[in-house]
Amino acid sequence: MESAGASAARRDRQGQVAPVRGPFVESNRGRAVFAPWWMPPLTGLGAGVLAYVTADDVLVRTLGPLAAALLGWLLGAAGPRLGARTGWRLSGAGLQRLRGGRATATYPFSRERPLLLSAMSLDVRAPTDYGSTKVGNLCALGLEDMAIAMFPFWVTTRRLGAPLRLFDGPGEPEGNAAAREAGFSRREAALLAASAEGPLPARAAGPVELSRPEPEVRSRKLGRRIGFCLVGLVGLGAALAPSDGGNQGRVALVAALATTVAVWAAGSFYRLLRTPPAHWTVSPQGVTARDPWFGTTRLPASAIAGIVPTELTRETGDGKVGVSLVLQFYGHDLALIGTAHSGEIPPDELLAVLRSRGYRVIEDQRRGTAYDADPAFPPHQLLPEARFTLGVDHVGWESERGAIRVPRTEVAGLELHTRSGHPWLRLRDTRGEELLHAPLGALRVSRTELRDQARALGYPVTDPERDAYESAAFAGLAAPSGPPAHAAPPAAATAHVAAPVAPPDVTVGMPGGTRKWYYVTGVAAGVLVMGVLAFKLRYLFDSGLSWAAWGVPAGAVAGALGALVYDRRRPALVLGGHGIRMAADGGQGKADWEHARPAIGGVGVDDHDDGVEALLVWSPTGQVIRKESLNVPDTEELRLACERTGLPWGRPDLGAWAPPPEL
């Protein structure tokens, strides 16, 4: 078992293992690969300046900058290996600073004189005869400073019998330390309960592999870097060509720019190769996680008592906020046995897969998607405490302060659907327009109650998700234990159980904003090809017309016709009782891919790598089973199609097939 969160016992110079008695926690190991983000631009700019300075000699200005950039990478990679790494160990002997496997400083502590930790700045202070002295800093990731995270440090001190005392530092808000300690206590109690209760039953037995960025995205990034590197090499080759002495300054500038581009792209290509994407393999037998932050972690399921995720947020370049997780694995004795990073894998998807394979995930606050409780409809603003009711001749909102009623003659139908894990009601008038679109939680009525009242009073109500669930549940119960073929079903069963009616198929085409680029690209390519061809054949025609007079229009017409043919054969999404499929010829041709209805836990459009929208299909356990980045339909049309056919919209909140939510 290889653990990334708690280091193994160290070895002395003779190769003997230095024993550590009792509980302990150590610094995480550093990155094995030297590939910082600032190295490619720094070496590229340095090589460009060196090429411009040494422009007098052709050989020196070509090989010198490349050799200097390579030497910079080698020195950066060899630097951490040459010097002894400094780490920290917290054990019964105290808090020790380790260098080269030996303790260079020891800070003892006891129950009477515990270690001190600032709740916000994470400064660790050790007790002395005259107060306390600052030792170092913890961090959230467990990589910087002391390379130990806050919660494992706190748990280990409690296991050692000398609890850590949290305090509010100068300038920090009061009560932060007490809130942190209360949260840590709840997390510790949950870990103790998980260790006592044992693993959860696995709802899914097969292993799941999760990786981000995906191979096609990674190949796209590698291709861009190869293209920039080739551009730089071509420019460098052009600068090597012999020239007269009149344009030496221009040649030196071209050589400097080409060297900068080539070295920058080559360094970025090397960094991308040496930093593999986060890859997780989760099965009921164990977990294998590989990420560039903590290396590889392999843990059997029998050693894992609980998993504690810590959410980390970061702002991306386009102003969005990216969320990732640092997951800490704890054994049955509350020892930290591993730490891993989720990378670019969606946190909800990773946690859903872990839960579905029987692992206990301990969260301070359960992640969820809250609905918008402020629907833009006047009754909710006039009577916020009102309850939605159905009457014989009206639909209304009743409260002690008054009532607002809509005549039944203006109500055409009620539509129930699920949005972001919560049931919503859409009320339409006789013209087909929306009178109301609000969550049932704001209307103060449950799904079953509203559906039963509407059917009892004769209102047209549709709830395709509930009908699809009842059909699937009835088929699942009747198939294994049904009566013999020659036995007639009971009269009561035939009276109350109706044959499931499959919803009609709904075809969702590609949006117009995507289709217009077919014609723009086709016309541009046709004009370019036909223009070049007309220029080459301009001497074969004696009509007096310019080559552009017939070449450009002919190319535009040919490109538009080609785009029209491609547009007629464009793929489309088909949703229905069978599930979902992507088929050519507007949904009438051969299916490129398809998924059956029982295997679908959610359908939606979301951002993925590089901020590009993609069509995502989730399984009932939250795993992504299909991602389509090329042909993405309109989000609103896809949502309406899911509501009409009963397919669940959005990422599933539960790890198993379940009835639609009531509230």
Side-chain angles (χ1 to χ4, degrees):
M1 179 180 66
E2 184 180 359
S3 173
S7 302
R10 300 184 180 274
R11 300 177 180 272
D12 56 17
R13 293 185 177 181
Q14 287 76 26
Q16 301 295 327
V17 176
V20 180
R21 297 180 180 179
F24 74 99
V25 64
E26 291 186 346
S27 300
N28 290 294
R29 61 176 181 266
R31 291 192 180 188
V33 178
F34 177 77
W37 64 269
W38 46 265
M39 197 64 178
L42 182 63
T43 53
L45 294 176
V49 172
L50 186 60
Y52 187 79
V53 171
T54 60
D56 296 336
D57 193 301
V58 177
L59 186 61
V60 173
R61 79 180 179 201
T62 304
L63 300 181
L66 301 180
L70 180 60
L71 181 62
W73 277 93
L74 293 178
L75 291 178
R81 300 177 182 272
L82 295 177
R85 179 174 177 265
T86 300
W88 295 85
R89 176 193 294 168
L90 178 65
S91 63
L95 180 59
Q96 297 176 329
R97 183 192 292 115
L98 304 175
R99 185 174 178 83
R102 292 187 174 185
T104 58
T106 301
Y107 302 92
F109 61 93
S110 61
R111 181 178 294 274
E112 294 77 15
R113 302 174 64 184
L115 294 173
L116 305 177
L117 177 63
S118 174
M120 182 170 290
S121 59
L122 302 184
D123 294 335
V124 180
R125 305 187 67 88
T128 61
D129 295 337
Y130 304 99
S132 62
T133 179
K134 182 178 177 180
V135 176
N137 291 88
L138 300 180
C139 64
L141 261 179
L143 282 178
E144 300 85 8
D145 299 321
M146 295 177 67
I148 303 177
M150 188 177 182
F151 180 65
F153 197 86
W154 185 84
V155 170
T156 305
T157 56
R158 290 180 60 84
R159 295 175 63 213
L160 291 171
L164 183 68
R165 189 167 71 86
L166 276 69
F167 69 95
D168 297 321
E172 298 180 0
E174 296 183 1
N176 192 18
R180 282 286 186 98
E181 193 158 6
F184 286 170
S185 299
R186 290 192 298 268
R187 193 182 295 179
E188 183 187 21
L191 281 174
L192 289 172
S195 177
E197 295 173 1
L200 295 171
R203 293 192 298 268
V208 176
E209 293 188 3
L210 302 174
S211 180
R212 293 291 192 282
E214 296 179 339
E216 57 269 18
V217 178
R218 187 173 173 84
S219 300
R220 196 182 309 132
K221 293 181 178 179
L222 290 172
R224 286 200 296 261
R225 284 154 178 79
I226 292 176
F228 280 114
C229 188
L230 292 177
V231 169
L233 292 178
V234 170
L236 192 59
L240 289 176
S243 60
D244 54 359
N247 56 356
Q248 288 297 326
R250 188 182 305 173
V251 172
L253 182 60
V254 171
L257 293 178
T259 302
T260 301
V261 172
V263 173
W264 194 332
S268 182
F269 180 81
Y270 171 77
R271 180 176 179 269
L272 188 61
L273 283 180
R274 298 296 290 171
T275 53
H279 186 88
W280 284 67
T281 303
V282 182
S283 67
Q285 291 74 33
V287 176
T288 301
R290 184 193 66 204
D291 61 81
W293 293 266
F294 299 97
T296 302
T297 303
R298 296 186 182 92
L299 297 172
S302 59
I304 302 174
I307 304 174
V308 177
T310 302
E311 186 176 285
L312 296 174
T313 58
R314 58 180 178 85
E315 292 186 2
T316 58
D318 53 357
K320 297 182 179 180
V321 177
V323 179
S324 59
L325 295 178
V326 174
L327 292 96
Q328 300 168 356
F329 298 84
Y330 290 88
H332 296 276
D333 58 348
L334 268 65
L336 180 66
I337 59 176
T339 307
H341 194 275
S342 65
E344 299 181 13
I345 300 175
D348 294 334
E349 180 181 351
L350 178 58
L351 296 184
V353 170
L354 287 170
R355 290 193 182 97
S356 66
R357 267 60 183 178
Y359 298 96
R360 294 184 180 271
V361 179
I362 299 170
E363 296 182 86
D364 297 333
Q365 294 181 354
R366 183 65 181 270
R367 299 174 56 85
T369 53
Y371 55 82
D372 182 10
D374 186 21
F377 193 68
H380 295 282
Q381 301 173 6
L382 300 177
L383 299 175
E385 75 283 357
R387 186 176 186 271
F388 183 78
T389 58
L390 292 174
V392 178
D393 55 355
H394 68 272
V395 174
W397 289 261
E398 310 286 344
S399 70
E400 296 179 357
R401 296 172 51 191
I404 298 177
R405 296 178 178 178
V406 177
R408 180 171 181 172
T409 55
E410 298 183 8
V411 178
L414 295 86
E415 302 175 2
L416 292 169
H417 62 276
T418 303
R419 182 178 180 183
S420 300
H422 299 273
W424 284 59
L425 170 66
R426 179 182 285 109
L427 190 65
R428 296 187 183 274
D429 60 8
T430 54
R431 298 182 300 274
E433 299 179 355
E434 285 188 3
L435 288 175
L436 169 70
H437 189 210
L440 297 186
L443 301 178
R444 292 175 173 80
V445 61
S446 67
R447 191 173 197 150
T448 302
E449 180 183 2
L450 178 60
R451 187 176 58 253
D452 293 344
Q453 288 182 1
R455 290 176 178 174
L457 295 175
Y459 284 90
V461 57
T462 59
D463 191 354
E465 296 173 2
R466 183 70 190 188
D467 297 339
Y469 168 74
E470 291 178 351
S471 300
F474 173 74
L477 293 175
S481 58
H486 60 275
T494 58
H496 296 284
V497 178
V501 178
D505 291 349
V506 177
T507 302
V508 180
M510 297 301 108
T514 302
R515 295 170 53 192
K516 69 180 181 181
W517 289 108
Y518 300 162
Y519 296 92
V520 173
T521 305
V523 170
V527 168
L528 180 62
V529 173
M530 294 299 293
V532 173
L533 184 61
F535 179 76
K536 293 294 184 181
L537 301 178
R538 64 186 184 277
Y539 299 111
L540 299 181
F541 299 91
D542 298 330
S543 59
L545 292 177
S546 174
W547 61 271
W550 66 271
V552 173
V557 172
L561 291 177
L564 178 62
V565 173
Y566 185 81
D567 189 22
R568 295 292 296 272
R569 300 182 66 253
R570 69 186 182 277
L573 272 179
V574 181
L575 299 85
H578 59 85
I580 183 172
R581 72 174 185 267
M582 177 75 74
D585 295 339
Q588 304 297 326
K590 182 180 178 181
D592 296 335
W593 53 264
E594 59 182 332
H595 296 283
R597 192 185 190 97
I600 300 174
V603 180
V605 176
D606 198 359
D607 294 343
H608 70 298
D609 307 280
D610 294 339
V612 181
E613 283 192 343
L615 168 66
L616 299 177
V617 181
W618 293 277
S619 68
T621 60
Q623 177 190 358
V624 176
I625 58 178
R626 174 64 59 180
K627 187 181 77 171
E628 179 70 33
S629 302
L630 185 60
N631 299 299
V632 182
D634 182 72
T635 305
E636 187 65 18
E637 292 185 7
L638 181 61
R639 182 182 64 82
L640 294 176
C642 289
E643 294 174 8
R644 295 191 187 101
T645 56
L647 290 175
W649 170 256
R651 185 189 300 274
D653 292 337
L654 301 178
W657 177 265
E662 292 289 329
L663 285 175

